[in-house]
């Protein structure tokens, strides 16, 4: 059941707009609180009065000013929702979601929304198959928007193919499943480190690395989707978490990351340390910008603390610790050594040798090292799928 859950339904200009009436009715039957935003094009396909009556709330179509004369209803609705489902989502709206072209209330609300966003595309088969639409959907999916794939069958044009909006009852079921999390990770505190660290040389320069921070963010979102309470300590990254429940602590240096980890590790159930922490930092960062004078400049470096190793030393019998390793030779042997030395429960070994694996790819090939010399090799696969494999191990191993 969905009692207490606030579902915002977006309806765009597609013949499938009539199905949103059934979707709203199904959600209301599941006791959700439902509000609806329509684009003006969608009003040609279904009357706002119908959706207002079924949702038991006024339907929003235009920007409305508040008493102070400021536009605010898009922000209000975006913050109100626990989940925003745009169904049907036309090719035009899909493209606007990617570009951020917020010339209507629905897209403006999407930009303001802090909750997960799902879209159920509905269009003719050629429009759906077109590379523009496919690229738009791929971009949205990569950014965390969940795509409810259309089904195949007879279309309004009379043609037969993929483009029919998923049935409203199925979408309502997906919404229900989403909120009814049965995972073992539900309500457990998971501390994640991610991203690079920047080690100051002076106020404007630093030593860093090419870590994008993507792994930490993907892990955080995957854990939150299973109902965990997630604390993500991340070095500088442009990546953003999708789930508003994640507590994000942004740090710059290894020492700052260590301080944040020291604060939160004692109360966490699980630690997943994926940060690419700089091994060394300048011993004496200059307080003023270093002037270009001599031909040579020597910077003395000192070793950074190994944050994962510290967590391993202080780990209690009820905590579970996961580390990552990137090895280029004697991979398994070195990884097993690291597993023991850092007192881990799971080590995810990344490969740099395989095509499509490692930095900059959306795919990776990993090996899991666990207790009792258990080694599991995986095929090259999407990084998001690897996160699920990691969490599946966690589900089994923690109480
Ligand atoms: O020893 P190595 O750097 O290869 O170990 C990698 C693992 O240790 C990763 O999980 C990384 O997040 C963690 N690590 C850390 N603090 C460091 C260095 C690595 O937490 N200073």
């Amino acid at each position: 059941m969905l009692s207490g859950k606030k579902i915002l339904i977006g309806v765009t200009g597609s013949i499938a707009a009539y199905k949103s009436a059934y979707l709203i009715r199904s959600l209301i039957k599941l006791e959700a609180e439902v509000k609806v935003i329509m684009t003006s094009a969608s009003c040609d396909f279904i009357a706002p009065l119908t959706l207002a009556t079924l949702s038991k709330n006024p339907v929003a179509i235009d920007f409305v000013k508040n008493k102070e004369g400021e536009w605010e209803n898009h922000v209000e609705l975006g913050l109100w929702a626990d989940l925003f489902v745009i169904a049907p989502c036309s090719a035009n709206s899909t493209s606007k979601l990617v570009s951020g072209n917020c010339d209507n209330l629905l897209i403006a609300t999407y930009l303001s929304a802090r909750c997960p966003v799902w879209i159920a595309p509905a269009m003719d088969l050629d429009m759906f198959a077109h590379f523009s639409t496919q690229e738009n959907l791929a971009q949205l999916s990569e950014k965390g928007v969940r795509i409810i794939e259309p089904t195949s069958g007879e279309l309004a044009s009379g043609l037969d193919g993929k483009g029919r909006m998923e049935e409203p009852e199925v979408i309502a079921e997906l919404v229900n499943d989403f909120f009814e999390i049965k995972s073992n990770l539900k309500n457990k505190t998971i501390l994640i480190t991610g991203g690079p660290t920047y080690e100051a040389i002076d106020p404007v320069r630093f030593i860093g690395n090419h870590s994008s921070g993507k792994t930490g963010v993907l892990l955080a979102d995957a854990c939150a989707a299973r109902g965990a309470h997630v604390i993500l300590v991340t070095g500088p990254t442009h990546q953003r978490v999708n789930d508003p429940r994640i507590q994000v602590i942004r740090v710059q240096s290894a020492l700052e990351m260590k301080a944040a980890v020291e604060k939160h590790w004692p109360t966490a159930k699980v630690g997943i340390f994926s940060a690419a922490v700089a091994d060394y930092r300048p011993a004496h960062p200059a307080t003023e910008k270093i002037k270009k004078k001599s031909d040579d400049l020597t910077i003395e470096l000192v070793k950074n603390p190994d944050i994962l190793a510290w967590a391993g030393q202080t780990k209690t019998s009820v905590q579970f610790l996961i580390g990552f390793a990137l090895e280029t030779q004697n991979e398994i042997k070195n990884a097993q050594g690291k597993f023991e030395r850092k007192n881990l429960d799971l080590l995810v070994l990344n490969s740099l040798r395989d095509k499509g694996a490692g930095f900059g790819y959306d795919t990776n090939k990993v090996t899991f090292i666990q207790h009792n010399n258990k080694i599991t090799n995986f095929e090259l696969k999407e990084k998001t799928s690897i996160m699920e494999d990691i969490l599946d191990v966690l589900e089994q191993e923690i109480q």
Side-chain angles (χ1 to χ4, degrees):
M1 293 303 254
L2 292 169
S3 41
K5 298 292 175 231
K6 301 184 181 88
I7 317 291
L8 183 61
I9 299 293
V11 184
T12 72
S14 154
I15 192 76
Y18 78 91
K19 288 187 177 177
S20 53
Y22 294 93
L23 174 59
I24 293 161
R25 203 178 58 158
S26 301
L27 294 171
I28 292 284
K29 266 193 190 162
L30 288 164
E31 296 180 7
E33 212 181 313
V34 181
K35 288 190 181 178
V36 182
I37 303 183
M38 299 177 73
T39 62
S40 50
S42 73
C43 302
D44 290 336
F45 295 94
I46 187 158
L49 182 60
T50 308
L51 303 189
T53 309
L54 289 170
S55 67
K56 307 180 199 289
N57 271 309
V59 164
I61 303 166
D62 299 311
F63 292 95
V64 177
K65 290 180 182 178
N66 64 10
K67 279 187 236 100
E68 289 76 44
E70 292 159 349
W71 278 348
E72 65 160 12
N73 58 336
H74 56 294
V75 176
E76 218 171 80
L77 285 164
L79 297 183
W80 171 84
D82 294 319
L83 178 66
F84 187 11
V85 184
I86 305 174
C89 191
S90 64
N92 179 41
S93 290
T94 305
S95 132
K96 285 183 180 175
L97 293 176
V98 176
S99 67
N101 175 9
C102 54
D103 63 355
N104 64 36
L105 179 66
L106 190 147
I107 306 290
T109 305
Y110 162 73
L111 295 180
S112 308
R114 294 197 185 155
C115 61
V117 179
W118 297 4
I119 66 168
M123 62 199 78
D124 208 38
L125 76 162
D126 294 312
M127 292 173 80
F128 182 71
H130 198 281
F131 71 86
S132 299
T133 308
Q134 288 304 314
E135 280 174 14
N136 285 338
L137 291 172
Q139 276 199 57
L140 290 172
S141 171
E142 197 190 313
K143 296 283 183 303
V145 173
R146 178 166 172 184
I147 316 291
I148 304 170
E149 287 288 318
T151 58
S152 294
E154 195 189 330
L155 298 161
S157 60
L159 297 171
D160 213 282
K162 189 170 178 181
R164 286 170 62 90
M165 183 180 123
E166 180 55 278
E167 292 309 322
E169 295 74 17
V170 176
I171 299 178
E173 190 81 33
L174 289 174
V175 173
N176 198 36
D177 286 352
F178 175 72
F179 286 107
E180 253 184 28
I181 299 166
K182 294 167 194 85
S183 165
N184 199 11
L185 306 188
K186 192 171 175 177
N187 296 330
K188 304 248 162 61
T189 300
I190 302 187
L191 175 65
I192 298 172
T193 71
T197 62
Y198 286 181
E199 309 298 333
I201 295 170
D202 68 16
V204 291
R205 304 181 182 94
F206 59 84
I207 296 173
N209 59 64
H210 287 300
S211 165
S212 65
K214 203 169 185 171
T215 299
V217 164
L218 288 177
L219 277 167
D221 275 327
C223 291
R226 295 195 191 201
H229 167 232
V230 183
I231 303 167
L232 171 66
V233 181
T234 181
T237 175
H238 295 300
Q239 307 282 331
R240 281 166 55 177
V241 293
N242 197 37
D243 196 303
R245 293 167 300 181
I246 297 169
Q247 184 184 344
V248 183
I249 301 173
R250 295 188 182 274
V251 296
Q252 292 279 325
S253 65
L255 293 181
E256 285 173 21
M257 184 172 279
K258 173 127 194 281
V261 167
E262 278 174 347
K263 184 163 174 213
H264 294 284
W265 174 235
T267 50
K269 173 80 187 167
V270 177
I272 312 180
F273 288 54
S274 71
V277 183
D279 288 327
Y280 294 91
R281 67 177 186 278
H284 309 289
T287 49
E288 300 293 334
K289 187 180 169 201
I290 299 171
K291 289 275 179 214
K292 186 168 42 178
K293 279 186 256 162
S294 58
D295 285 347
D296 300 308
L297 176 68
T298 304
I299 299 170
E300 188 193 342
L301 300 177
V302 288
K303 208 165 188 187
N304 264 330
D306 189 321
I307 305 170
L308 177 61
W310 173 82
Q313 280 157 19
T314 57
K315 188 178 77 174
T316 65
S317 60
V318 294
Q319 288 178 306
F320 193 94
L321 189 56
I322 303 177
F324 284 70
L326 189 89
E327 302 290 340
T328 50
Q329 52 187 347
N330 294 328
E331 286 102 328
I332 299 284
K333 201 166 169 290
N334 284 340
Q336 281 179 317
K338 201 165 283 181
F339 178 86
E340 296 300 337
R341 270 198 317 281
K342 301 201 184 192
N343 194 21
L344 306 182
D345 300 295
L346 170 64
L347 185 133
V348 182
L349 170 63
N350 289 276
S351 159
L352 262 192
R353 290 195 194 193
D354 301 280
K355 203 161 174 282
F359 283 135
Y361 291 102
D362 285 332
T363 49
N364 206 353
K365 195 165 182 303
V366 301
T367 302
F368 285 0
I369 313 273
Q370 289 171 266
H371 291 290
N372 304 320
N373 294 326
K374 186 174 175 193
I375 296 173
T376 318
N377 290 302
F378 291 87
E379 290 306 309
L380 185 77
K381 50 159 77 184
E382 294 288 322
K383 283 184 175 166
T384 44
S385 164
I386 294 170
M387 306 308 153
E388 297 302 326
D389 292 332
I390 296 172
L391 299 198
D392 287 346
V393 169
L394 251 184
E395 293 268 2
Q396 285 168 13
E397 299 288 331
I398 64 170
Q399 310 301 322

